[in-house]
Amino acid sequence: MKKVLIVGLGELGGQVYQLLLNSGTPLRIVTADVDEDSGVRKTNLMKYVAGQMGLDRTVEFQKMDLFNLDQTAAMLRKINPDIIYSAATLQSWWVITILPPDVFQKLDEARFGPWLPMHLTLLYKLMQAVKEAGINPVVINSSFPDATHNVLSKINLSPHMGIGNVHNVVQPLRSSIADSAGVPVQSVSVFLYLAHYVSHYIPRFGTAGGSPYIMKIVIDGKERDDLSHESIFSELPKSKRRSGGLTGQILTASSAAAIVRAVATDSQELLHSPGVKGLPGGYAARIGEEGAKVVLAADVTMEEAIKINEEGNRYDGIEEIRDDGTVVFTDKEMAIMKKVIGYACKKMTIDESEERAKEIQAKFKSFTDKFKR
């Protein structure tokens, strides 16, 4: 039975924990969070819920402060998990969505890239602690894996794979394709190679937003290139629309639970994952106990998939990730951040991430305080 450590019991981590607890997959689960009281309460609550359903689970909680590297490493060494799933971040993606609609719209145009320090900082500390602990778990991360993994790969600290993003559009696309082709959804498979920007854009606007992507459609084992991507995409915000925001986050949680389960059971399932082995963007991948392996559809090369994902990251505000891990941000998206909240950064090294995150936190708090009056 595999031991899974869930780091971060916020909205997303809590949902992943609940899904895994009730999945029927035999797991030993340890939860961890910096907020001990909230973490204990949430851990126990979901354990009691499982008990109500006739599933008596043994779960352990540990307080974990990722800013304390030595303490975290010692704890990881003691727990010695087979799998680590991290939902740790300094600011969840949904925080800006609860601003007034017109304010959110302006800030959303800065895309996800400028917020990178908020997602990179704690992940970097976790991966340093894993290395210091001398353990070798499969690490699965939810915090902007399309970019954070590629940054950390430059210093050999990337997690094995990410969750959500590319994975989140698979089911709605399969449903739209099934309708377009007049076949049952069970007959449809897709092979996607696309960045976070595209997975964010299609469900909201029905297009890829100008970014390159690759989608290969297979129906009953045969590739189909006669179906209009434009028509398929256009249905996602219409007939295939879904709840978004915090309500819709259960889709991302289910991606994480499915990937954790595939690793724990060595299922070798063909799923989709961002940040596989430190690569930029998202890929079709086979998942098992050793991690993830990119699966390339017919006529797709690795070089091509990487190139379109690097370009997709540019649409998200990340111009370049250099060989030493330095991130160069796009002028257009960063200009929006400066105009709206007063934050700007042209380039950032990995070790500058924490200070940049503190700067964003302070300026974002100053910006949002006026909406709380």
Side-chain angles (χ1 to χ4, degrees):
M1 185 183 298
K2 299 292 187 182
K3 182 185 289 186
V4 179
L5 171 63
I6 300 175
V7 180
L9 278 182
E11 293 288 342
L12 178 59
Q15 287 181 336
V16 174
Y17 165 52
Q18 184 174 14
L19 287 171
L20 289 175
L21 207 59
N22 290 280
S23 69
T25 304
L27 297 169
R28 288 182 293 166
I29 298 177
V30 179
T31 60
D33 197 274
V34 68
D35 187 333
E36 184 173 13
D37 183 61
S38 174
V40 168
R41 288 176 183 275
K42 189 170 288 188
T43 297
N44 286 336
L45 173 63
M46 298 310 174
K47 183 171 65 174
Y48 302 153
V49 169
Q52 296 277 48
M53 303 297 291
L55 300 169
D56 289 322
R57 305 296 195 200
T58 300
V59 185
E60 174 188 351
F61 173 82
Q62 294 286 342
K63 180 178 180 179
M64 182 177 288
D65 180 0
L66 292 175
F67 282 101
N68 189 327
L69 178 60
D70 292 340
Q71 187 181 73
T72 301
M75 189 177 298
L76 291 176
R77 198 177 299 116
K78 179 181 178 181
I79 297 169
N80 194 22
D82 300 292
I83 301 166
I84 295 177
Y85 165 66
S86 175
T89 182
L90 291 174
Q91 181 172 294
S92 297
W93 64 270
W94 53 263
V95 170
I96 69 169
T97 70
I98 61 177
L99 292 169
D102 60 326
V103 178
F104 163 67
Q105 183 62 41
K106 291 177 183 176
L107 201 49
D108 188 48
E109 290 176 3
R111 307 307 174 199
F112 216 55
W115 301 96
L116 179 66
M118 309 301 284
H119 308 291
L120 177 62
T121 300
L122 291 183
L123 181 61
Y124 179 31
K125 292 181 180 298
L126 173 62
M127 296 309 296
Q128 286 177 300
V130 169
K131 182 179 180 179
E132 183 175 312
I135 59 175
N136 190 34
V138 172
V139 182
I140 303 164
N141 164 59
S142 63
S143 296
F144 198 12
D146 299 70
T148 56
H149 292 198
N150 195 223
V151 173
L152 292 175
S153 73
K154 309 302 183 181
I155 54 172
N156 297 315
L157 284 180
S158 175
H160 291 72
M161 71 197 88
I163 60 94
N165 301 348
V166 63
H167 202 190
N168 286 352
V169 292
V170 170
Q171 301 309 325
L173 284 174
R174 288 181 67 224
S175 182
S176 183
I177 291 165
D179 288 354
S180 181
V183 299
V185 72
Q186 293 83 358
S187 298
V188 179
S189 298
V190 292
F191 293 80
L192 301 173
Y193 311 88
L194 52 85
H196 166 269
Y197 172 87
V198 184
S199 65
H200 172 84
Y201 212 88
I202 296 174
R204 291 161 178 79
F205 306 107
T207 76
S211 174
Y213 69 91
I214 298 172
M215 178 172 74
K216 297 288 186 178
I217 300 168
V218 176
I219 297 178
D220 292 325
K222 296 181 180 180
E223 185 177 337
R224 293 283 298 270
D225 59 7
D226 60 324
L227 299 173
S228 165
H229 290 193
E230 183 179 283
S231 176
I232 291 165
F233 289 172
S234 70
E235 289 302 318
L236 267 65
K238 294 189 291 189
S239 66
K240 306 304 175 184
R241 66 190 184 276
R242 64 172 177 85
S243 301
L246 274 173
T247 302
Q249 188 167 244
I250 189 66
L251 185 64
T252 303
S254 67
S255 167
I259 288 174
V260 170
R261 186 177 60 186
V263 173
T265 61
D266 193 27
S267 70
Q268 298 299 318
E269 288 179 72
L270 182 62
L271 300 172
H272 283 76
S273 172
V276 175
K277 294 183 177 178
L279 295 173
Y283 306 80
R286 202 164 292 284
I287 312 294
E289 64 180 358
E290 298 298 322
K293 181 180 179 181
V294 172
V295 175
L296 296 172
D299 302 324
V300 178
T301 68
M302 183 65 80
E303 292 75 16
E304 182 183 15
I306 291 172
K307 183 177 180 181
I308 68 105
N309 278 323
E310 287 176 337
E311 183 62 23
N313 278 347
R314 292 187 186 101
Y315 278 78
D316 234 350
I318 295 176
E319 180 66 37
E320 177 189 7
I321 297 173
R322 294 177 177 169
D323 289 343
D324 65 351
T326 296
V327 182
V328 181
F329 298 96
T330 57
D331 293 334
K332 177 184 174 183
E333 281 69 29
M334 195 56 75
I336 295 171
M337 284 287 282
K338 183 176 182 179
K339 181 178 180 181
V340 178
I341 71 169
Y343 170 80
C345 172
K346 179 57 183 175
K347 63 181 181 179
M348 177 190 78
T349 67
I350 298 176
D351 288 326
E352 290 172 340
S353 179
E354 183 176 344
E355 285 305 310
R356 287 296 185 178
K358 290 177 181 177
E359 184 180 353
I360 293 174
Q361 280 181 316
K363 292 190 173 180
F364 185 67
K365 182 180 184 302
S366 177
F367 171 72
T368 57
D369 278 349
K370 57 187 153 188
F371 301 110
K372 300 175 184 177
R373 294 169 188 160

